[in-house]
C-alpha cells in the first residue's frame, strides 16, 4: 500500500501543496521517474540550444546575390520562384550573360567580329607599335621645341598611352589597341582613337573612344599631354562612312559600329537542310508576357535543343509587354529580337536558324522532294512529352506545339519536373544588344567613368502601400537627400537609375551632387544618333522608339559600372524587394 501512496492523481497535482506534506517526499520518488525527468531535461536543453543555433545562422547568413553570381545560382533562384508556373509582373531587367558569366579567354571565338581579330592580336596587350630605336630616331629628327608636333611621331602615341594608363586604369578601363594619331583642328592637337573593355562587363566585347589631345614638347625631347578633350571629342580619328557634312561642321560625327554583324544565316542547300536536325517551338502563352518570362522560356527551348543536339529555330519577331510602356499601355508586337539582344553572339554561342528562313526552306525542299521522300516531322502537342523521351528521335523536325490554355502553353513548362535535371539553360548565350551597350558606354564615358549611382524604384510599387508600405515615403525627395548624403561624398557625379516619370523629382539632390538622369542623354537615341539610324535600317526604314525596356536595360548597365552603388531595397527603404514578409 505504501507503494501506491507515492503516486498522485491529476487532481492532486493541480491542487496546492498540503501544509502537512513532508519535505522529504520528493526523495521518495521511484528511480525510473527520476531517470525520465533527467532525460527530459537533457532533451529540452538540446532543443533550446538547437533553436539558438538556427536563429543565429538565420540572422547572420548572407546568401550570394543570384543576379550577380553565376548562371547556376540564377537558375536555382528562379526555379524556386516558379512554384505555380506564373511570373509576377515586373518592369526590371533580368541580367544577361555578360552580367553573369566571367570572362574566359579560351571561349573567345576566333572568327568573331565582336572578339579580338587575328590582325589586332599584337595590340591587345597594349604593346607599343614602335620600337625604342624608331622612337630615338624620330626624337633626333624632331627635337626642335619650336617645331610643331607631328601627330605621326611615335612619341605622340606613347605620350597618349602613358596619359591614358594614368588617368583611366583605376576606372575599370582596359586599353586594348590604338589607331595611328591624326591631326586635330589646330596645330599642336592630335586626335587618337582606341579600343577598350570595361572590367565590370564579363564579356570580351570592345568599345571605341576617340579624343582630342593637345601636346607640347617636354624635357629631353619628350612629348607631353597638356590637355585632353571629353569622350569622343577627337572626331577626326573616327572612322566613318563618307561624310555628308562639311569638315567645318560642329555636329559630332556619328560612327556606326562596324563590329556588329547581326545578319540572318541561311540554311543552305536541300541536302544540307535534310541532314540537319531542328527543334521548332510555335508561339505559346509566353508571347507578350514580361521580358523576364520571355528569356526564361527562350533559354529553356535553347537548352532543350542543345540537350537533343539540334538546331533551335528562333523567331526574331517578339512582343513587348505593355508593362514596359505605361504611357502607351498596350502590348507591342513585331519588335525585333536584335533591338534588345546580341544576335551575333547568339549565333556564335548556339546552333540556331531564323524562323522565316527555316519555314521558307522547309516548304521549298518539301515540295521538291521526289518519290515521296518528304522531310520527316514529329509533332509534339504537349510539354508533358519530356526531352528525355525525344532524345533518340530521328525526325528532321521536332515541332513542339503550345496550343493549350495558360499556363499549360508556356515554353518553360518543358524544363520543369524531371527535365530540370537534364536541361541546362545556356545563360552565356544571351547578351544585351551591342547597340544598347554602346549607349551605356557613351553615358559612362561622358562622366569619365568616375561616378556613383543610386537605383530608385518607385512607379507602381510606390503606389501599392499594402505590399510596400514604406517605399513611397522612404524614396521621397527629402528622404533621399537625408540618406544619400550619408552614403555618397558631396559633389560627386551621381547617376540615378529610376522608373520615376517626373524629371524634376530629384532636384533637391542637385544641391549636393552633379546629378545625371537617363533623359539627360536623349541625343544618344535621337534622330541624329547612330543607334537611331542602325535600328531604323533593321526595321525596314521605319524609326524605332526607345521603349521602356531599353530604358531600363541602359539604366541597369550604367548602374553596374558605378564606383559605389546604392540600391533601393538594401539601402533606402525598410520594405522587402518582393513585398511584406519576403525578406
Amino acid at each position: 500500500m505504501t507503494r501506491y501512496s507515492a503516486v498522485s492523481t491529476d487532481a492532486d497535482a493541480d491542487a496546492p501543496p498540503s501544509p502537512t506534506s513532508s519535505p522529504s517526499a520528493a526523495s521518495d520518488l521511484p528511480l525510473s521517474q527520476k531517470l525520465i525527468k533527467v532525460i527530459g531535461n537533457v532533451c529540452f536543453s538540446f532543443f533550446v540550444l538547437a533553436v539558438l543555433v538556427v536563429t543565429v545562422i538565420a540572422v547572420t547568413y548572407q546568401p550570394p546575390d543570384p543576379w550577380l553570381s553565376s548562371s547556376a545560382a540564377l537558375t536555382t533562384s528562379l526555379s524556386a520562384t516558379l512554384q505555380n508556373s506564373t511570373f509576377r509582373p515586373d518592369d526590371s531587367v533580368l541580367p544577361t550573360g555578360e552580367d553573369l558569366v566571367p570572362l574566359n579567354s579560351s571561349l573567345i571565338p576566333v572568327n568573331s567580329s565582336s572578339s579580338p581579330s587575328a590582325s589586332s592580336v599584337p595590340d591587345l596587350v597594349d604593346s607599343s607599335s614602335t620600337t625604342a630605336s624608331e622612337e630615338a630616331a624620330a626624337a633626333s629628327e624632331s627635337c626642335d621645341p619650336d617645331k610643331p608636333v607631328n601627330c605621326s611621331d611615335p612619341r605622340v602615341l606613347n605620350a597618349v598611352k602613358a596619359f591614358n594608363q594614368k588617368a583611366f586604369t583605376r576606372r575599370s578601363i582596359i586599353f586594348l589597341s590604338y589607331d595611328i594619331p591624326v591631326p586635330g583642328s589646330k596645330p599642336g592637337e592630335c586626335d587618337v582613337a582606341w579600343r577598350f573593355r570595361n572590367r565590370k562587363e564579363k564579356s570580351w566585347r570592345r568599345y571605341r573612344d576617340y579624343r582630342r589631345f593637345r601636346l607640347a614638347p617636354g624635357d629631353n625631347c619628350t612629348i607631353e599631354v597638356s590637355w585632353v578633350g571629353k569622350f569622343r571629342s577627337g572626331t577626326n580619328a573616327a572612322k566613318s562612312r563618307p561624310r555628308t557634312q562639311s569638315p567645318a561642321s560642329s555636329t559630332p560625327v556619328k560612327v556606326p559600329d562596324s563590329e556588329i554583324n547581326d545578319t540572318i544565316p541561311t540554311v543552305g542547300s536541300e541536302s544540307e537542310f535534310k541532314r540537319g536536325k531542328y527543334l521548332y517551338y510555335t508561339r505559346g502563352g509566353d508571347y507578350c508576357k514580361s521580358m523576364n518570362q520571355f528569356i526564361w522560356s527562350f533559354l529553356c527551348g535553347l537548352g532543350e535543343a542543345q540537350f537533343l543536339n539540334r538546331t533551335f529555330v528562333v523567331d526574331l519577331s517578339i512582343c513587348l509587354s505593355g508593362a514596359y510602356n505605361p504611357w502607351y499601355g498596350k502590348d507591342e508586337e513585331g519588335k525585333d529580337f536584335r533591338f534588345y539582344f546580341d544576335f551575333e553572339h547568339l549565333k556564335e554561342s548556339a546552333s540556331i536558324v531564323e524562323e522565316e528562313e527555316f519555314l521558307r526552306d522547309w516548304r521549298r525542299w518539301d515540295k521538291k522532294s521526289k518519290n515521296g521522300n518528304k522531310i520527316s516531322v514529329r509533332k509534339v502537342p504537349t510539354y508533358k512529352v519530356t526531352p528525355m523521351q525525344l532524345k533518340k528521335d530521328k525526325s528532321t523536325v521536332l515541332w513542339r506545339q503550345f496550343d493549350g490554355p495558360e499556363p499549360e502553353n508556356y515554353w518553360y513548362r518543358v524544363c520543369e519536373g524531371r527535365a530540370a535535371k537534364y536541361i541546362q539553360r545556356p545563360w552565356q548565350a544571351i547578351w544585351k544588344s551591342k547597340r544598347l551597350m554602346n549607349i551605356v558606354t557613351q553615358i559612362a564615358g561622358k562622366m569619365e567613368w568616375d561616378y556613383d549611382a543610386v537605383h530608385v524604384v518607385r512607379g507602381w510599387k510606390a503606389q501599392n502601400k499594402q505590399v510596400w508600405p514604406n517605399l513611397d515615403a522612404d524614396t521621397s525627395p527629402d528622404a533621399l537627400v537625408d540618406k544619400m548624403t550619408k552614403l555618397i561624398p558631396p559633389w560627386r557625379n551621381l547617376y540615378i537609375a529610376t522608373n520615376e516619370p517626373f524629371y524634376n523629382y530629384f532636384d533637391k539632390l542637385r544641391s549636393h551632387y552633379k546629378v545625371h538622369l537617363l533623359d539627360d542623354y536623349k541625343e544618344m537615341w535621337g534622330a541624329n544618333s547612330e543607334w537611331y539610324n542602325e535600328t531604323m535600317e533593321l526595321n525596314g526604314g521605319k524609326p524605332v522608339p526607345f521603349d521602356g525596356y531599353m530604358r531600363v536595360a541602359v539604366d541597369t548597365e550604367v548602374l553596374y559600372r558605378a564606383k559605389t552603388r546604392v540600391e533601393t531595397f538594401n539601402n533606402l527603404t525598410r520594405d522587402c524587394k518582393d513585398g511584406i514578409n519576403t525578406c
Side-chain angles (χ1 to χ4, degrees):
M1 298 298 293
T2 307
R3 178 181 177 187
Y4 292 101
S5 65
V7 181
S8 63
T9 64
D10 291 342
D12 293 332
D14 294 336
S18 170
T20 61
S21 298
S22 172
S24 62
S27 62
D28 295 334
L29 289 172
L31 182 62
S32 60
Q33 289 192 12
K34 289 182 180 179
L35 184 61
I36 292 172
K37 187 175 181 180
V38 171
I39 294 174
N41 290 338
V42 171
C43 291
F44 182 76
S45 299
F46 276 113
F47 171 74
V48 172
L49 181 62
V51 169
L52 288 174
V53 170
V54 171
T55 303
V56 170
I57 293 175
V59 170
T60 59
Y61 175 62
Q62 294 291 332
D65 187 348
W67 306 118
L68 301 176
S69 55
S70 68
S71 57
L74 178 60
T75 300
T76 302
S77 174
L78 284 179
S79 297
T81 66
L82 300 181
Q83 302 283 337
N84 300 319
S85 297
T86 56
F87 271 73
R88 296 180 62 178
D90 194 5
D91 56 1
S92 62
V93 166
L94 190 69
T96 48
E98 71 270 48
D99 305 318
L100 299 168
V101 182
L103 177 65
N104 185 346
S105 58
S106 65
L107 299 178
I108 299 178
V110 175
N111 297 323
S112 169
S113 61
S114 63
S115 62
S117 62
S119 61
S120 63
V121 167
D123 291 329
L124 294 179
V125 196
D126 193 33
S127 60
S128 174
S129 58
T130 61
T131 63
S133 59
E134 289 173 340
E135 185 174 348
S140 63
E141 293 178 3
S142 57
C143 203
D144 183 0
D146 298 324
K147 188 175 181 180
V149 173
N150 180 5
C151 293
S152 61
D153 187 331
R155 294 175 300 163
V156 169
L157 182 56
N158 287 337
V160 169
K161 287 182 177 182
F163 178 89
N164 282 350
Q165 287 295 335
K166 184 177 180 180
F168 295 107
T169 300
R170 291 185 179 181
R171 301 179 185 180
S172 300
I173 301 301
I174 301 173
F175 294 94
L176 301 176
S177 61
Y178 286 82
D179 293 343
I180 298 174
V182 298
S185 58
K186 298 177 182 177
E189 291 183 347
C190 298
D191 289 1
V192 187
W194 58 82
R195 300 281 180 181
F196 67 92
R197 186 175 68 80
N198 192 293
R199 277 194 190 91
K200 295 185 178 181
E201 181 179 338
K202 300 178 180 68
S203 77
W204 57 78
R205 285 196 292 208
R206 303 183 298 169
Y207 301 93
R208 290 195 84 218
D209 191 4
Y210 34 90
R211 301 195 182 212
R212 182 154 294 169
F213 291 82
R214 193 170 296 151
L215 304 110
D219 298 332
N220 300 322
C221 292
T222 59
I223 292 180
E224 298 177 352
V225 174
S226 60
W227 174 88
V228 60
K230 298 292 184 181
F231 182 79
R232 294 193 175 179
S233 56
T235 53
N236 290 349
K239 294 179 180 179
S240 61
R241 293 167 183 163
R243 299 187 185 190
T244 56
Q245 73 262 30
S246 64
S249 172
S250 60
T251 303
V253 178
K254 303 302 178 185
V255 185
D257 192 331
S258 59
E259 294 190 347
I260 297 178
N261 175 20
D262 47 17
T263 55
I264 296 173
T266 58
V267 175
S269 65
E270 179 180 3
S271 59
E272 289 175 327
F273 185 92
K274 290 185 175 180
R275 281 198 304 267
K277 302 291 182 184
Y278 305 94
L279 178 63
Y280 177 40
Y281 278 31
T282 56
R283 284 181 185 171
D286 308 274
Y287 196 66
C288 293
K289 293 296 189 294
S290 74
M291 196 67 85
N292 290 6
Q293 181 167 343
F294 168 77
I295 297 175
W296 185 245
S297 290
F298 179 84
L299 290 177
C300 169
L302 192 61
E304 185 189 19
Q306 292 183 344
F307 174 75
L308 299 175
N309 197 25
R310 288 176 173 269
T311 297
F312 190 59
V313 181
V314 176
D315 182 3
L316 290 183
S317 178
I318 64 178
C319 177
L320 185 69
S321 169
Y324 295 105
N325 289 322
W327 57 88
Y328 182 66
K330 297 180 180 179
D331 298 336
E332 294 183 78
E333 298 187 53
K335 292 280 190 174
D336 196 305
F337 179 95
R338 295 169 291 181
F339 294 164
Y340 308 98
F341 304 105
D342 191 329
F343 188 60
E344 178 182 14
H345 176 67
L346 180 62
K347 290 187 295 184
E348 295 166 350
S349 305
S351 177
I352 62 167
V353 61
E354 192 270 329
E355 184 186 56
E356 287 189 9
E357 181 80 17
F358 169 77
L359 293 177
R360 182 166 53 248
D361 286 345
W362 182 4
R363 285 190 287 264
R364 178 173 58 176
W365 302 130
D366 208 33
K367 286 181 179 179
K368 290 186 176 181
S369 297
K370 298 178 180 179
N371 302 323
N373 186 20
K374 295 285 186 179
I375 294 171
S376 58
V377 179
R378 176 178 175 180
K379 295 182 180 180
V380 185
T382 173
Y383 73 90
K384 295 179 182 178
V385 178
T386 67
M388 297 77 78
Q389 293 173 292
L390 301 174
K391 183 69 173 175
K392 297 182 180 180
D393 194 284
K394 303 298 183 182
S395 303
T396 301
V397 180
L398 283 180
W399 185 358
R400 276 201 181 272
Q401 299 171 322
F402 298 86
D403 299 326
E406 297 186 19
E408 302 293 310
N409 60 353
Y410 291 161
W411 284 11
Y412 64 77
R413 300 302 302 273
V414 172
C415 299
E416 292 181 334
R418 286 184 59 240
K421 298 179 180 179
Y422 296 88
I423 306 301
Q424 300 295 322
R425 285 178 170 83
W427 289 96
Q428 74 282 356
I430 291 289
W431 288 359
K432 292 184 181 70
S433 162
K434 178 74 184 304
R435 295 182 178 89
L436 290 178
M437 297 302 290
N438 282 339
I439 294 177
V440 171
T441 299
Q442 291 178 61
I443 293 174
K446 293 285 187 181
M447 294 184 283
E448 297 296 340
W449 307 97
D450 186 20
Y451 65 95
D452 303 313
V454 56
H455 186 198
V456 182
V457 176
R458 288 189 53 78
W460 61 274
K461 286 188 177 181
Q463 296 171 10
N464 191 339
K465 301 292 179 66
Q466 292 182 338
V467 181
W468 295 276
N470 305 299
L471 180 59
D472 188 30
D474 288 343
T475 56
S476 66
D478 290 327
L480 287 173
V481 170
D482 180 61
K483 291 169 184 173
M484 292 302 299
T485 51
K486 297 174 183 176
L487 297 171
I488 304 294
W491 298 116
R492 289 275 296 159
N493 283 318
L494 179 65
Y495 185 85
I496 302 176
T498 183
N499 59 348
E500 169 57 49
F502 298 106
Y503 178 82
N504 295 324
Y505 187 82
F506 303 98
D507 280 358
K508 289 190 176 182
L509 284 172
R510 298 182 188 276
S511 301
H512 304 271
Y513 303 101
K514 301 172 186 175
V515 173
H516 302 260
L517 294 165
L518 184 60
D519 282 336
D520 294 331
Y521 301 95
K522 286 182 177 179
E523 73 277 2
M524 295 181 184
W525 59 85
N528 293 323
S529 69
E530 59 188 78
W531 179 89
Y532 181 91
N533 293 324
E534 291 175 11
T535 53
M536 185 167 65
E537 190 173 329
L538 278 180
N539 203 36
K542 299 177 182 178
V544 177
F546 198 75
D547 59 50
Y549 186 81
M550 296 172 184
R551 294 178 65 90
V552 182
V554 172
D555 252 355
T556 302
E557 292 296 333
V558 176
L559 180 76
Y560 283 169
R561 284 155 178 72
K563 284 191 170 181
T564 301
R565 194 169 77 208
V566 178
E567 287 286 355
T568 299
F569 295 104
N570 290 333
N571 308 108
L572 299 181
T573 183
R574 295 158 285 172
D575 290 343
C576 303
K577 182 177 181 180
D578 295 320
I580 293 175
N581 299 326
T582 61
C583 293

